[in-house]
Amino acid sequence: MSEAGDFIDSALQYESSWQRAEEHAAAFGDGLEYYGASVGAIRGTLRDASRRYPALAHDDVTALSSELWSRPVYESRLAAIVLLQSNVAILRHTDLTRIEGFLRTAVAPVLVDNLARDVVAPLLAALDATAASRAHAVLDRWSAGTDPELRRAAELVRNAS
């Protein structure tokens, strides 16, 4: 794991609460681990990480988001979403490939919802006409596919527009 990834993971574990972890498990189901960190703690951790690692460019942000997502931990995946959300201005339509992988492996529908509404919708809104056309072709593919998470994400993005 990278230094930034270690920092974020350690902070999320430090902010954990076994009671909140049990609540998350009851609310979001099996398939992920839960530290029990609050959304506020996750956002604060990402703010601290951006201050500690201020020179994160596009490739660094996308690599770190993948690193965070690779852990089957709800808070780590939510941190990946917050990271992408706070850096949506530097994302590109080609990043939808990475995001598609996240959607396919989300496990918890709330993560699909957050990715669609907080990352994909604002990303599409910021694209120029050519890139937006390509991105909408990806959404069309998601809508027509068999993966329920991708279909759900495409619908949420279209409803957010």
Side-chain angles (χ1 to χ4, degrees):
M1 192 171 253
S2 69
E3 186 178 325
D6 281 340
F7 171 80
I8 293 167
D9 187 65
S10 295
L12 294 177
Q13 288 186 52
Y14 180 78
E15 295 290 338
S16 68
S17 152
W18 66 266
Q19 296 97 333
R20 194 175 296 111
E22 288 180 355
E23 290 168 8
H24 286 165
F28 306 130
D30 295 333
L32 293 173
E33 296 174 38
Y34 300 93
Y35 289 157
S38 69
V39 172
I42 294 167
R43 291 191 181 284
T45 296
L46 268 289
R47 264 192 314 275
D48 292 346
S50 70
R51 288 185 193 119
R52 184 176 265 212
Y53 308 99
L56 293 180
H58 172 270
D59 291 350
D60 303 313
V61 167
T62 56
L64 181 56
S65 70
S66 289
E67 183 180 332
L68 292 169
W69 196 270
S70 71
R71 301 178 135 259
V73 177
Y74 172 77
E75 290 82 359
S76 184
R77 290 184 174 191
L78 191 54
I81 294 169
V82 172
L83 176 67
L84 292 172
Q85 177 187 21
S86 40
N87 288 282
V88 75
I90 64 171
L91 297 180
R92 306 173 187 140
H93 74 278
T94 55
D95 294 320
L96 288 174
T97 303
R98 179 182 314 268
I99 293 168
E100 180 175 332
F102 292 173
L103 291 165
R104 287 181 185 276
T105 60
V107 179
V110 68
L111 295 174
V112 172
D113 296 355
N114 288 336
L115 270 169
R117 284 193 216 122
D118 300 338
V119 179
V120 179
L123 168 61
L124 265 59
L127 295 174
D128 64 35
T130 303
S133 173
R134 291 179 180 147
H136 283 287
V138 171
L139 282 183
D140 291 342
R141 182 175 52 77
W142 291 359
S143 293
T146 59
D147 188 306
E149 303 302 351
L150 294 178
R151 287 196 317 268
R152 176 183 177 85
E155 180 181 338
L156 288 169
V157 169
R158 289 202 167 104
N159 290 339
S161 300

